[in-house]
Short mmCIF file of all heavy atoms in Angstrom, two decimals:
data_model
loop_
_atom_site.label_atom_id
_atom_site.label_comp_id
_atom_site.label_asym_id
_atom_site.label_seq_id
_atom_site.Cartn_x
_atom_site.Cartn_y
_atom_site.Cartn_z
N PHE M 133 39.64 2.80 25.55
CA PHE M 133 39.70 3.71 24.41
C PHE M 133 40.05 5.11 24.90
O PHE M 133 39.66 5.52 26.00
CB PHE M 133 38.36 3.75 23.69
CG PHE M 133 37.91 2.41 23.18
CD1 PHE M 133 36.89 1.73 23.84
CD2 PHE M 133 38.50 1.83 22.09
CE1 PHE M 133 36.46 0.50 23.39
CE2 PHE M 133 38.07 0.59 21.62
CZ PHE M 133 37.06 -0.07 22.27
N ASP M 134 40.78 5.83 24.07
CA ASP M 134 41.16 7.21 24.37
C ASP M 134 40.00 8.13 24.00
O ASP M 134 39.65 8.25 22.82
CB ASP M 134 42.41 7.58 23.56
CG ASP M 134 42.91 8.98 23.87
OD1 ASP M 134 42.19 9.74 24.56
OD2 ASP M 134 44.01 9.34 23.40
N PRO M 135 39.38 8.79 24.99
CA PRO M 135 38.22 9.64 24.69
C PRO M 135 38.57 10.86 23.83
O PRO M 135 37.68 11.49 23.27
CB PRO M 135 37.71 10.05 26.06
CG PRO M 135 38.89 9.91 26.96
CD PRO M 135 39.69 8.76 26.43
N LEU M 136 39.85 11.18 23.74
CA LEU M 136 40.25 12.33 22.94
C LEU M 136 40.36 12.00 21.45
O LEU M 136 40.44 12.90 20.62
CB LEU M 136 41.59 12.89 23.45
CG LEU M 136 41.58 13.41 24.89
CD1 LEU M 136 42.96 13.93 25.27
CD2 LEU M 136 40.54 14.52 25.05
N LYS M 137 40.37 10.72 21.14
CA LYS M 137 40.49 10.31 19.74
C LYS M 137 39.13 10.31 19.05
O LYS M 137 38.16 9.77 19.58
CB LYS M 137 41.10 8.91 19.64
CG LYS M 137 42.61 8.84 19.70
CD LYS M 137 43.06 7.42 19.37
CE LYS M 137 44.57 7.30 19.36
NZ LYS M 137 44.99 5.93 18.99
N PRO M 138 39.06 10.85 17.85
CA PRO M 138 37.84 10.71 17.06
C PRO M 138 37.67 9.26 16.59
O PRO M 138 38.53 8.41 16.84
CB PRO M 138 38.06 11.66 15.87
CG PRO M 138 39.19 12.55 16.28
CD PRO M 138 40.04 11.73 17.20
N THR M 139 36.58 9.01 15.89
CA THR M 139 36.27 7.67 15.39
C THR M 139 35.94 7.73 13.91
O THR M 139 35.09 8.52 13.50
CB THR M 139 35.07 7.06 16.14
OG1 THR M 139 35.40 6.89 17.52
CG2 THR M 139 34.69 5.71 15.55
N LEU M 140 36.60 6.89 13.13
CA LEU M 140 36.27 6.73 11.72
C LEU M 140 35.61 5.36 11.55
O LEU M 140 36.19 4.34 11.91
CB LEU M 140 37.53 6.80 10.85
CG LEU M 140 37.31 6.61 9.34
CD1 LEU M 140 36.56 7.82 8.76
CD2 LEU M 140 38.62 6.41 8.61
N PHE M 164 32.44 9.92 10.34
CA PHE M 164 33.53 10.40 11.19
C PHE M 164 32.94 11.12 12.40
O PHE M 164 32.22 12.11 12.25
CB PHE M 164 34.44 11.34 10.41
CG PHE M 164 35.66 11.79 11.17
CD1 PHE M 164 36.74 10.93 11.36
CD2 PHE M 164 35.73 13.07 11.70
CE1 PHE M 164 37.86 11.35 12.05
CE2 PHE M 164 36.84 13.49 12.41
CZ PHE M 164 37.91 12.62 12.59
N PHE M 165 33.21 10.58 13.58
CA PHE M 165 32.71 11.14 14.84
C PHE M 165 33.84 11.81 15.61
O PHE M 165 34.99 11.37 15.56
CB PHE M 165 32.15 10.04 15.74
CG PHE M 165 30.84 9.45 15.31
CD1 PHE M 165 30.78 8.50 14.29
CD2 PHE M 165 29.66 9.80 15.96
CE1 PHE M 165 29.58 7.93 13.93
CE2 PHE M 165 28.45 9.23 15.59
CZ PHE M 165 28.40 8.29 14.57
N ASN M 166 33.48 12.83 16.38
CA ASN M 166 34.43 13.45 17.31
C ASN M 166 33.67 13.93 18.53
O ASN M 166 32.70 14.69 18.40
CB ASN M 166 35.15 14.62 16.63
CG ASN M 166 36.36 15.08 17.41
OD1 ASN M 166 36.70 14.53 18.46
ND2 ASN M 166 37.04 16.09 16.90
N SER M 167 34.07 13.45 19.69
CA SER M 167 33.45 13.84 20.96
C SER M 167 31.94 13.62 20.97
O SER M 167 31.18 14.46 21.44
CB SER M 167 33.77 15.30 21.29
OG SER M 167 35.16 15.50 21.41
N GLY M 168 31.52 12.50 20.42
CA GLY M 168 30.11 12.15 20.43
C GLY M 168 29.28 12.78 19.34
O GLY M 168 28.08 12.52 19.24
N ALA M 204 45.67 11.72 10.20
CA ALA M 204 45.10 12.12 11.49
C ALA M 204 45.05 10.92 12.45
O ALA M 204 45.09 9.76 12.03
CB ALA M 204 43.70 12.68 11.30
N GLU M 205 44.96 11.22 13.71
CA GLU M 205 44.85 10.18 14.74
C GLU M 205 43.38 9.94 15.04
O GLU M 205 42.65 10.88 15.40
CB GLU M 205 45.59 10.60 16.01
CG GLU M 205 47.10 10.45 15.92
CD GLU M 205 47.53 8.99 15.74
OE1 GLU M 205 46.97 8.11 16.42
OE2 GLU M 205 48.41 8.75 14.90
N PHE M 206 42.94 8.72 14.89
CA PHE M 206 41.56 8.37 15.22
C PHE M 206 41.48 6.85 15.35
O PHE M 206 42.34 6.11 14.87
CB PHE M 206 40.58 8.86 14.15
CG PHE M 206 41.01 8.59 12.73
CD1 PHE M 206 40.94 7.31 12.18
CD2 PHE M 206 41.49 9.63 11.95
CE1 PHE M 206 41.33 7.08 10.88
CE2 PHE M 206 41.89 9.40 10.64
CZ PHE M 206 41.81 8.11 10.10
N ASP M 207 40.43 6.41 16.01
CA ASP M 207 40.14 4.98 16.07
C ASP M 207 39.37 4.59 14.81
O ASP M 207 38.58 5.38 14.28
CB ASP M 207 39.30 4.66 17.31
CG ASP M 207 40.09 4.79 18.59
OD1 ASP M 207 41.22 4.27 18.64
OD2 ASP M 207 39.59 5.42 19.54
N ILE M 208 39.60 3.36 14.37
CA ILE M 208 38.97 2.89 13.14
C ILE M 208 38.11 1.68 13.45
O ILE M 208 38.55 0.74 14.12
CB ILE M 208 40.03 2.48 12.10
CG1 ILE M 208 41.03 3.61 11.87
CG2 ILE M 208 39.36 2.09 10.78
CD1 ILE M 208 42.26 3.18 11.09
N ARG M 252 48.08 -0.24 12.17
CA ARG M 252 47.33 0.51 13.16
C ARG M 252 46.30 -0.39 13.81
O ARG M 252 45.81 -1.35 13.22
CB ARG M 252 46.59 1.69 12.50
CG ARG M 252 47.51 2.83 12.13
CD ARG M 252 46.75 3.99 11.50
NE ARG M 252 45.79 4.60 12.41
CZ ARG M 252 45.24 5.80 12.21
NH1 ARG M 252 45.57 6.49 11.13
NH2 ARG M 252 44.36 6.30 13.06
N GLU M 253 45.93 -0.04 15.03
CA GLU M 253 44.88 -0.79 15.72
C GLU M 253 43.54 -0.44 15.07
O GLU M 253 43.26 0.72 14.76
CB GLU M 253 44.86 -0.43 17.20
CG GLU M 253 44.00 -1.37 18.03
CD GLU M 253 44.20 -1.15 19.52
OE1 GLU M 253 44.19 0.03 19.94
OE2 GLU M 253 44.35 -2.14 20.24
N TYR M 255 39.19 -2.08 14.59
CA TYR M 255 38.18 -2.98 15.15
C TYR M 255 37.14 -3.31 14.09
O TYR M 255 37.02 -2.66 13.05
CB TYR M 255 37.49 -2.32 16.35
CG TYR M 255 38.44 -1.76 17.36
CD1 TYR M 255 38.82 -0.41 17.31
CD2 TYR M 255 38.98 -2.56 18.35
CE1 TYR M 255 39.71 0.11 18.23
CE2 TYR M 255 39.88 -2.05 19.28
CZ TYR M 255 40.24 -0.71 19.20
OH TYR M 255 41.13 -0.21 20.11
N LEU M 472 31.27 2.86 19.15
CA LEU M 472 32.58 3.16 19.71
C LEU M 472 32.58 4.48 20.47
O LEU M 472 33.21 4.61 21.53
CB LEU M 472 33.62 3.19 18.58
CG LEU M 472 35.09 3.35 18.97
CD1 LEU M 472 35.48 2.45 20.14
CD2 LEU M 472 35.99 3.09 17.77
N GLU M 473 31.86 5.47 19.96
CA GLU M 473 31.78 6.76 20.66
C GLU M 473 31.09 6.62 22.01
O GLU M 473 31.46 7.28 22.98
CB GLU M 473 31.04 7.77 19.79
CG GLU M 473 31.84 8.29 18.62
CD GLU M 473 32.99 9.19 19.04
OE1 GLU M 473 32.73 10.29 19.55
OE2 GLU M 473 34.16 8.78 18.87
N LYS M 476 33.49 5.43 24.52
CA LYS M 476 34.44 6.46 24.95
C LYS M 476 33.82 7.51 25.87
O LYS M 476 34.46 7.97 26.83
CB LYS M 476 35.01 7.20 23.72
CG LYS M 476 35.84 6.36 22.79
CD LYS M 476 36.23 7.20 21.57
CE LYS M 476 36.98 6.38 20.55
NZ LYS M 476 37.34 7.18 19.35
N HIS M 477 32.58 7.91 25.55
CA HIS M 477 31.99 9.07 26.21
C HIS M 477 30.74 8.77 27.03
O HIS M 477 30.23 9.67 27.70
CB HIS M 477 31.65 10.15 25.16
CG HIS M 477 32.80 10.52 24.28
ND1 HIS M 477 33.88 11.25 24.73
CD2 HIS M 477 33.05 10.24 22.97
CE1 HIS M 477 34.74 11.42 23.75
NE2 HIS M 477 34.26 10.82 22.66
#
Side-chain angles (χ1 to χ4, degrees):
F133 302 105
D134 183 350
L136 298 180
K137 276 189 178 182
T139 296
L140 179 69
F164 185 76
F165 287 79
N166 194 0
S167 300
E205 283 296 317
F206 45 75
D207 290 313
I208 307 168
R252 286 181 63 164
E253 192 169 46
Y255 310 94
L472 186 45
E473 286 290 293
K476 295 176 184 179
H477 306 289

